[in-house]
């Protein structure tokens, strides 16, 4: 793991084994002795911290919804606290987050004593109906995302179980393989049975409209607005106070001048150690982060697709080598790749349409937090009144005692 002051040396003959020597490959020679210092970006780290409570509540909700009948004895859920990374008791969690569940009594087995169970609240049921409507409304966007992930891959096929693992990163519905994929046989073919490790999702047909990256679409839009042909390229957005040595600045300048390589382009002809392949790798990672709902993905998650997307074993060095494009956060002990251009300070500006679901869930949480705050305020007022009445009573008792 990188520390705050950790210095990352990167060498192409370490990350990617060059086919030629540095004397014949100027790209390798130009960076063979350069170093990049990893710097903490507090504002981007805060963006991850801002979602901490929301993600915790979402994990608990998923745990309950995955149960048969979507109900669970409270004591069973208590035993799963470690798995849910919940640091407080379930009773405390429920008190802090009212509005998610209703508590009722039922028997686990016949002839046993009733115990407390949890079930969805009416508010949570309404949210789940809203979630279905948003998924249906944005189904074309979800399909295009899924196609894009396949189109960027080496053989236009991805392991179905890996796709299930990243469904929340890209905003796919829980049942997308079962209920969504079969609706589009013109795009997808599911081979095998998901969950057994031997199932794959194949691309059936190529859609040229989907084969445009976020960078290419941005260049087209700028060309349309200005009337001048804009060359596709990356936005470099170094944080304030971030300093690059002269050699690195020159290398970045020369690298930016190279032609953009689309992540949807066939690169089987490219040398794995070439500057064009580096450009393509950055392009694929940029596109993957652009397709994610929060414009950030844990690095280990991206690493699961190294073979499919032709990443080198040391692909994560790209995030520090190109610090003006990416930021690698270490928040929570997890390396998370973030797209700098998508954020302003700790706020996500490039918002995915599917984030409407998150917004609605946060509304549900905030309504519960508001009710709890009002109840606590009323309780404090009651305690204050009781203390005042007690002080008055004690004052009267003291006066009578004095008179006597």
């Amino acid at each position: 793991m990188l520390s705050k002051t950790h210095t990352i040396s990167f060498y192409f003959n370490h990350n990617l084994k060059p086919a030629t020597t540095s004397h014949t490959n100027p790209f390798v020679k130009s960076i063979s002795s350069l170093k990049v210092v990893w710097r903490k970006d507090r504002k981007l780290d805060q963006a991850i911290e801002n979602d901490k409570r929301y993600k915790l509540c979402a994990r608990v909700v998923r745990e309950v919804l995955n149960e048969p009948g979507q109900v669970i004895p409270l004591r069973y859920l208590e035993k799963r606290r470690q798995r849910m990374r919940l640091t407080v008791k379930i009773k405390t969690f429920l008190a802090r987050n009212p509005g998610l569940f209703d508590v009722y009594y039922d028997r686990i087995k016949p002839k046993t004593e009733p115990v407390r169970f949890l079930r969805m609240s009416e508010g949570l049921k309404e949210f789940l109906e809203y979630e279905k409507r948003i998924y249906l409304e944005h189904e074309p966007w979800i399909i295009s995302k899924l196609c894009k992930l396949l189109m960027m891959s080496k053989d236009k096929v991805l392991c179905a179980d890996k796709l299930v693992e990243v469904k929340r990163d890209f905003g796919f519905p829980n049942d997308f393989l079962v209920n969504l994929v079969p609706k589009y046989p013109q795009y997808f073919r599911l081979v095998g049975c998901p969950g057994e490790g031997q199932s794959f999702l194949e691309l059936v047909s190529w859609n040229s409209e989907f084969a445009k990256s976020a960078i290419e679409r941005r260049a087209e839009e700028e060309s349309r607005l200005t009337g001048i042909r804009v060359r596709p390229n990356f936005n470099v957005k170094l944080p304030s106070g971030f300093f690059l040595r002269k050699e690195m600045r020159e290398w970045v300048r020369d690298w930016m001048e190279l032609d953009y390589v689309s992540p949807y382009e066939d690169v089987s002809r490219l040398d794995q150690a070439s500057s064009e392949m580096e450009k393509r790798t950055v392009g694929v990672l940029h596109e993957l982060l652009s397709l994610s709902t929060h414009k950030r993905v844990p690095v280990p998650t991206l690493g699961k697709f190294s073979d499919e997307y032709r990443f080198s074993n040391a692909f994560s060095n790209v995030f520090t080598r190109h610090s003006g494009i990416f930021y690698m956060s270490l928040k929570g002990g997890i390396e998370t790749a973030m797209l700098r251009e998508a954020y302003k300070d700790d706020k996500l500006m490039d918002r995915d349409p599917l984030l409407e679901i998150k917004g609605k869930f946060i509304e549900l949480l905030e309504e519960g937090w508001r009710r709890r705050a009002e109840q606590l305020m009323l309780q404090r007022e009651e305690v204050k009144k009781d203390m005042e009445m007690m002080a008055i009573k004690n004052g009267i008792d003291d006066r009578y005692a004095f008179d006597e």
Side-chain angles (χ1 to χ4, degrees):
M1 182 176 294
L2 302 173
S3 66
K4 184 175 179 180
T5 58
H6 188 82
T7 300
I8 302 170
S9 301
F10 55 89
Y11 303 88
F12 254 37
N13 57 355
H14 169 73
N15 296 339
L16 306 170
K17 296 178 180 179
T20 58
T21 66
S22 61
H23 296 290
T24 59
N25 191 333
F27 183 68
V28 174
K29 180 181 179 180
S30 65
I31 67 168
S32 61
S33 61
L34 296 179
K35 296 180 181 180
V36 172
V37 177
W38 178 86
R39 291 183 183 273
K40 185 182 184 70
D41 191 320
R42 296 184 182 279
K43 292 176 180 177
L44 290 181
D45 281 346
Q46 186 60 43
I48 295 177
E49 182 67 23
N50 292 342
D51 284 341
K52 188 175 179 180
R53 189 172 182 181
Y54 149 76
K55 294 181 76 172
L56 176 62
C57 292
R59 278 198 298 271
V60 177
V61 168
R62 285 196 298 271
E63 194 72 29
V64 176
L65 296 184
N66 286 336
E67 286 295 303
Q70 298 182 326
V71 299
I72 187 172
L74 190 146
R75 70 188 188 193
Y76 285 9
L77 196 61
E78 180 69 32
K79 294 177 181 179
R80 302 179 189 178
R81 281 172 48 201
Q82 185 175 3
R83 184 169 76 184
M84 296 184 292
R85 300 195 292 279
L86 189 60
T87 57
V88 298
K89 291 185 176 181
I90 291 296
K91 291 180 183 178
T92 304
F93 172 83
L94 296 175
R96 291 178 179 176
N97 301 282
L100 291 176
F101 304 106
D102 292 334
V103 180
Y104 69 102
Y105 283 84
D106 200 356
R107 291 179 173 85
I108 298 176
K109 295 180 180 180
K111 299 182 181 181
T112 60
E113 290 295 319
V115 297
R116 281 175 296 181
F117 274 72
L118 292 183
R119 63 187 172 199
M120 289 187 291
S121 67
E122 287 302 315
L124 185 54
K125 289 178 182 178
E126 291 175 5
F127 161 74
L128 293 175
E129 288 301 316
Y130 177 86
E131 181 183 52
K132 289 179 184 177
R133 293 196 299 272
I134 294 300
Y135 278 138
L136 185 61
E137 179 182 344
H138 295 294
E139 190 168 291
W141 173 229
I142 296 171
I143 293 302
S144 71
K145 280 191 183 190
L146 199 51
C147 284
K148 284 171 173 284
L149 293 180
L150 290 167
M151 290 165 69
M152 283 188 286
S153 66
K154 181 172 59 177
D155 299 313
K156 312 301 177 280
V157 58
L158 292 172
C159 174
D161 291 337
K162 288 184 182 181
L163 287 171
V164 170
E165 290 178 21
V166 301
K167 63 186 177 183
R168 281 188 286 275
D169 293 295
F170 293 97
F172 300 151
N174 289 329
D175 58 356
F176 76 100
L177 284 178
V178 177
N179 292 328
L180 194 60
V181 165
K183 290 169 61 177
Y184 295 88
Q186 69 272 33
Y187 289 136
F188 310 115
R189 180 186 299 112
L190 185 61
V191 180
C193 184
E196 297 180 358
Q198 294 296 322
S199 59
F200 299 89
L201 188 64
E202 298 178 352
L203 185 73
V204 172
S205 61
W206 185 273
N207 187 321
S208 57
E209 278 302 308
F210 296 160
K212 291 181 181 179
S213 68
I215 287 176
E216 288 170 315
R217 291 197 308 273
R218 182 174 63 206
E220 286 183 358
E221 180 63 14
E222 290 177 2
S223 297
R224 186 185 66 80
L225 293 174
T226 62
I228 303 171
R229 183 182 176 276
V230 176
R231 180 167 162 261
N233 215 335
F234 303 100
N235 279 346
V236 176
K237 181 185 174 186
L238 287 170
S240 59
F242 192 96
F243 176 76
L244 288 179
R245 293 170 55 188
K246 180 182 178 182
E247 305 96 299
M248 189 64 198
R249 289 199 306 272
E250 292 175 349
W251 180 82
V252 170
R253 180 199 62 203
D254 294 342
W255 186 82
M256 289 290 288
E257 286 300 315
L258 297 174
D259 287 337
Y260 174 75
V261 180
S262 170
Y264 301 102
E265 186 177 333
D266 180 13
V267 293
S268 57
R269 72 187 191 285
L270 295 181
D271 181 352
Q272 188 74 1
S274 67
S275 56
E276 291 82 3
M277 196 62 181
E278 169 84 351
K279 198 93 174 186
R280 191 262 179 184
T281 297
V282 174
V284 171
L285 292 169
H286 184 285
E287 185 73 352
L288 288 172
L289 295 181
S290 296
L291 292 173
S292 67
T293 53
H294 289 87
K295 314 309 176 200
R296 64 177 188 252
V297 178
V299 174
T301 299
L302 295 171
K304 293 177 181 179
F305 296 90
S306 290
D307 182 59
E308 292 89 337
Y309 293 129
R310 300 178 185 268
F311 297 153
S312 71
N313 291 334
F315 80 96
S316 61
N317 285 352
V318 165
F319 301 122
T320 48
R321 185 155 59 241
H322 299 278
S323 297
I325 300 171
F326 307 111
Y327 171 61
M328 187 165 70
S329 172
L330 306 181
K331 192 71 177 176
I334 300 173
E335 294 181 346
T336 302
M338 305 180 71
L339 198 57
R340 283 195 184 275
E341 65 187 34
Y343 288 83
K344 182 177 181 182
D345 297 332
D346 64 340
K347 305 298 182 186
L348 178 62
M349 306 306 292
D350 184 2
R351 297 186 63 80
D352 190 289
L354 294 168
L355 284 178
E356 291 180 44
I357 294 171
K358 175 186 174 183
K360 191 68 173 179
F361 187 68
I362 289 176
E363 285 181 15
L364 175 63
L365 293 175
E366 289 178 341
E367 176 60 28
W369 298 340
R370 190 160 43 246
R371 289 204 312 269
R372 179 171 183 262
E374 291 171 355
Q375 290 172 356
L376 291 175
M377 186 174 67
L378 289 174
Q379 290 174 6
R380 284 194 293 267
E381 289 177 353
E382 288 295 326
V383 170
K384 184 179 179 182
K385 287 179 182 178
D386 290 343
M387 293 180 67
E388 289 174 351
M389 291 298 293
M390 189 177 297
I392 292 172
K393 182 178 181 299
N394 290 339
I396 293 173
D397 291 344
D398 290 343
R399 190 175 63 191
Y400 278 127
F402 180 78
D403 290 342
E404 293 175 0

